[in-house]
Each structure stands twice: as C-alpha cells, then as structure tokens.
Amino acid sequence: MAERAAVRPLGPVGHAGPGGLWWLELRASVRRRRALAIKLLFPLVLAVPLALTGAPQFFAAMLLTVLVAMVGTVGTGVSLTRARGAGWLDRLAVLPLGGWRVGLELFLAGWVVDCLQATLLVLVLEAAQRPDPLTLLSTWLLSLATLAFSGALGLAVATLTDNPGEAMLVLAVVLAPMLFLSGLFTGVPASGPRYWVAQLLPFSYLQNAFQLVLHGNPPYGSDPQFLLAAAVFLLVGAGAAAALGWPLLARGS
Amino acid sequence: MAALALEAEGVLRRYRNGRGVGPVSLRLGNGEVLALLGPNGSGKTTLLRCLATRSRIRGGEVRWFGNPDPARARPRLAVVFDATAHVDEVSGEENLRFFAGARRAPVTPGLLVEAGLAEVGGEQVSNYSYGMRRRLVIAEALVGDPALLVLDEPTLGLDVEGRRWLETVLHERQRRGLSTLLGTNDTSFVEEVATRVGFLVDGRLVADSPLAELLASVGGLREVSLRFRGDVDLERLRAVAGVHQVVASSDGALVLAAQRDGLVADLLGAVGELDRLLIDLSIREPRLAECFLQLTGRPLDG
C-alpha cells in the first residue's frame, strides 16, 4: 500500500481553484453530514409554519429576516473564532496568501453553505405562496446578499473576539440594534434619520421583499429596487470580507 | 554574498505582565540549524512567533533574506507551531495539497511516504492520532523546499521513528542549504541536529554558540544529582573543592563539579548524616542541559 501511495501523483494545485482554502473548507462542511443536515433543516422549522399558516405578513417577514441575519452572522463568527482557538488561523497567517485572500476564501466557504439554507427557505415560500417569479428571484438574490453582508459582519466580530461564546454575545449586541434600525420590529418611518439608516442596511429590503412574497403590502420596495440592493450588498459583503482578512489574522499576533 | 536567512536586532515583544522576550539579537546563516533552549516561560515561543512573521514586534528589527518585509519572506519560509490544526474532515493528502498550492509548489512525491503517512494519506485527518497530525504538519512545512524553517517543539508527539525521520530530513535539507530555527528543550534531539545553540532566560539570549563549543565547555565536568529527605545547607556543597554550580531542585540539589578523585566522597561528607538525609545519588557526564546550568545558574527543566 505504501508503494502504491508513493507513485500516486499529487500534482500542483493553485489556491484559487479546487484545492484552495474555500474549496477545502466547503468540502469539510459537506462532510460534516449531521451538522449539515441540521443546518439545512433549521430554517425550515421556522419557514414551513410561517409560510403555511397565514401568519401576519409583517411578523412572518420579520422572523424570516432575523433568521437569515442569524444564519449568516453566527455561522461565520463562531466557526472563525473556533478556527483561531484551534490554531488554524495561526497556520494560515504564515502562508504566502494575502490576508484579503484568506478572508475572502473563508467567507466564501461559509456563504455557499448559508446560501443552500436560504435557497431551501425560498423554495418553501415558492411552494406555499406561489409569488410572482420576478419577486421570488429578487427575494432569493436579496437573501443571498443579506447572507453575504451578515457573513462579513460575523467575520468582523471574529476580529474582535477569541471564542465562540464571546462571539455570540458580541453578535447579539451588534445585530439587535441593526435589526431595530432596519425597521424589523416597528416598521421604517417614512422620513428622518431612521429611514435613511434603514436604506443602508440589507435587512429592511429583505423584510419588505419577504412581505411581497407573502402577498403583503410592504411600505416600500419593488423588484428592481430589491435586485439593485442585492447587487450592492453582495459586493459590500465580499469587499468587507476581503478587507477584514488581515485584521482577522492579525488578532492575537 | 548571499543575505543571511534571518537577522534579528534588538527584537522586543513584552506582554503587560512583563513576560515575553527581548531585546534579542541573533543571526542565522544559510544551512545553519540554531536551537533555542530555555525553561518554560523563557520566551522561546514568543521569539519564534516574532521571527516566523506571526507576531508583531514592539521594538528592534527582523530581516528575512535581507528584507524586513514579512510578506516577502513567507514564500520562502515554513513554520511549524505546536498546534496541529487542519481541515479535519478532508484527507491528509488534500491538506498537504492545499499547503503546496498556497506556496505555488508541487507536492513532493513520496513526502507522505517519508513521513510514515502513506497508508493513511487518503483518510480524513480527524481519524489521525496526535503524532500522525504532527508528522503531517511537518510534511506540510517541507513542501516547496522552503529556505527557512521555524519549528516550535518539533519532537512533540513524535515517536522514535518519527524523531529519526525528522532528524534525517533536517540533515538532508541542511546539506541543501535549508536554515532552521527551532525551539525545544529536547536536548538529545538538539545534539543530533543543531549546529548552534542559544540559551534563553527570562526573554533574553544569554548564550549563542556552536554546539561543539558548548559541549566542550563542560568537558571534564560531572553532574551529581542528590536527593535529600529534609533540608541540607547548600552552602556546604558549594564549599566543596571543584564545585562550579549548586542549584536546588524540588527534592535535593544538582551539583556541577570538575571531575576528580574523591569528589563524591567530599559531597557526601558535606551533606552529612547520610543515613537520615540521603535518598538517591546519580552521576553523569554533562551534556547540553548541564551547559545550560553552568552558563545560566538555572536548571533547564525549570
């Protein structure tokens, strides 16, 4: 067996493609079958009753938005602080990979799995509510962009914390005001500072998009607006993840 | 003339509690193997992290291959920390391939075989024992033929075969010009692989000499280890002719003295009341640990 292994070629692999960090981490996530199954089922536990029972659209959309926000932030924040505790970030930090690249690849690996969760959630809404296809598409893309934004937020929290428990605590402290300012609990005022703050966060758009899918009557937002917001927050999330790569690796150094 | 693999001038990294390292200056030439020895808390790991581009220094300067930019050093630098973190759910081969890819280098054929991991290379790392993970970490550090290798506690978790493999690898790579900096208190390993040895005490480098010179400096000495029941006045041992160092240990004393006829009898005489006090006595030729004791006045094992 040793001889067979000796002659098996292990060729060079670039770190951006298969064999790269994001691919390795993604494969690891897929192989944690039990954890993956729980992850994928978790949003359905909330989405299925909300979609099927005719819950008030505003509150149903609020809960679905909180769910997406939590999925993105907690997954990334907890897994990265755990990676730091195990010494994995130490090992990555001394490789000739730029900090931005490590940040982006770690973010990407988590985001892809999060996207599966959001896709299942949107499919449940499609099956139960039969919304307009463009509305469904814009909501799906907006949920992916919100996951990207939330993932970058989780990464930012991981640059400030050293263990999963601490990360969870800081995430709650950071996320709750953001969700409030996005108008999730009270709606967005028609004008004033809170209106403008809400425009700068993806959660307000996503809540409105979910309301539209649930045949509600959101205070603002149309499919083109949601699509534009999705593109912007996707770029913001990815850009922030790349920018936070170096601080993530620098913590504890 | 080629730049030194590593130059550190006045490197300083202290923590709020006063622990840490520095100022420390050292140089590592191409093909040299410098081992840093020191008791726990002496600053070995902190210094290695600074010199491995992992920790920021608060003072001084480090140059890798003549350049102070850590990012430019990393393509030619490989580091083994004491952590064995991997992506556990994929195979050892896949992890190795990732590290090769990160260095834009091919995976050296047979590296897993040399590391004794050929049969488990395709298995998930989560199934590996600690020693196997350590071997994999070392193999990952060797891909791409780095010019500078930094190893923290390299023999941790390695069995006899693993140590022998690491010794062979370091000898072979040294002949090809690899410079190695390692921190350990495994003196027998250091005596096998090091060309130079540095002693760290309280974050300062108190000695930095070729291994052969250090060992020669304790030639003609003997280490006498005495275990007592109760207290013995160590001054009486220090007063014995030829005694260089006397250091209290947890249950007795370590004595470093010039070899001569009657040395042991004189030491026993100094202890006095042998039937009541003495539990054990051993004598051996001094090696690196005794060099450390002689030069620093402290035992290496703390």
Side-chain angles (χ1 to χ4, degrees), chain A:
Chain A
M1 183 158 179
E3 282 174 15
R4 198 176 65 217
V7 295
R8 193 187 318 152
L10 296 172
V13 181
H15 54 269
L21 182 58
W22 74 273
W23 183 247
L24 208 63
E25 294 276 358
L26 184 61
R27 291 191 63 189
S29 297
V30 171
R31 287 194 183 170
R32 287 180 212 121
R33 292 206 179 105
R34 191 164 162 269
L36 183 67
I38 292 169
K39 264 192 149 190
L40 294 179
L41 285 174
F42 164 63
L44 302 186
V45 173
L46 195 63
V48 170
L50 284 175
L52 293 177
T53 57
Q57 287 101 346
F58 178 83
F59 295 107
M62 175 190 79
L63 283 173
L64 292 173
T65 306
V66 170
L67 182 70
V68 171
M70 295 288 286
V71 163
T73 50
V74 172
T76 310
V78 167
S79 65
L80 290 179
T81 46
R82 196 177 287 146
R84 178 180 292 116
W88 181 234
L89 297 186
D90 264 345
R91 298 198 67 202
L92 295 177
V94 293
L95 287 174
L97 300 169
W100 66 271
R101 178 149 220 155
V102 172
L104 201 56
E105 291 203 34
L106 290 173
F107 158 85
L108 186 61
W111 182 70
V112 170
V113 175
D114 293 346
C115 287
L116 284 176
Q117 293 178 275
T119 302
L120 280 177
L121 189 152
V122 170
L123 286 176
V124 168
L125 293 177
E126 152 67 12
Q129 301 288 327
R130 296 279 165 201
D132 174 67
L134 185 61
T135 300
L136 190 75
L137 176 70
S138 59
T139 305
W140 179 60
L141 292 175
L142 193 53
S143 63
L144 304 191
T146 305
L147 285 171
F149 183 90
S150 308
L153 198 63
L155 210 154
V157 167
T159 66
L160 305 169
T161 53
D162 290 319
N163 61 67
E166 196 185 346
M168 290 282 281
L169 203 63
V170 175
L171 276 171
V173 170
V174 172
L175 198 57
M178 279 190 165
L179 295 176
F180 170 75
L181 290 169
S182 299
L184 259 67
F185 312 131
T186 58
V188 180
S191 61
R194 272 192 61 201
Y195 172 82
W196 289 108
V197 171
Q199 306 302 304
L200 298 174
L201 295 167
F203 311 116
S204 53
Y205 296 95
L206 187 60
Q207 188 189 21
N208 283 300
F210 276 138
Q211 282 192 64
L212 215 55
V213 167
L214 296 166
H215 305 295
N217 187 21
Y220 66 82
S222 59
D223 292 328
Q225 228 182 336
F226 294 148
L227 285 170
L228 181 65
V232 169
F233 287 112
L234 195 60
L235 287 175
V236 168
L244 288 165
W246 189 83
L248 177 75
L249 295 179
R251 182 169 180 82
S253 70

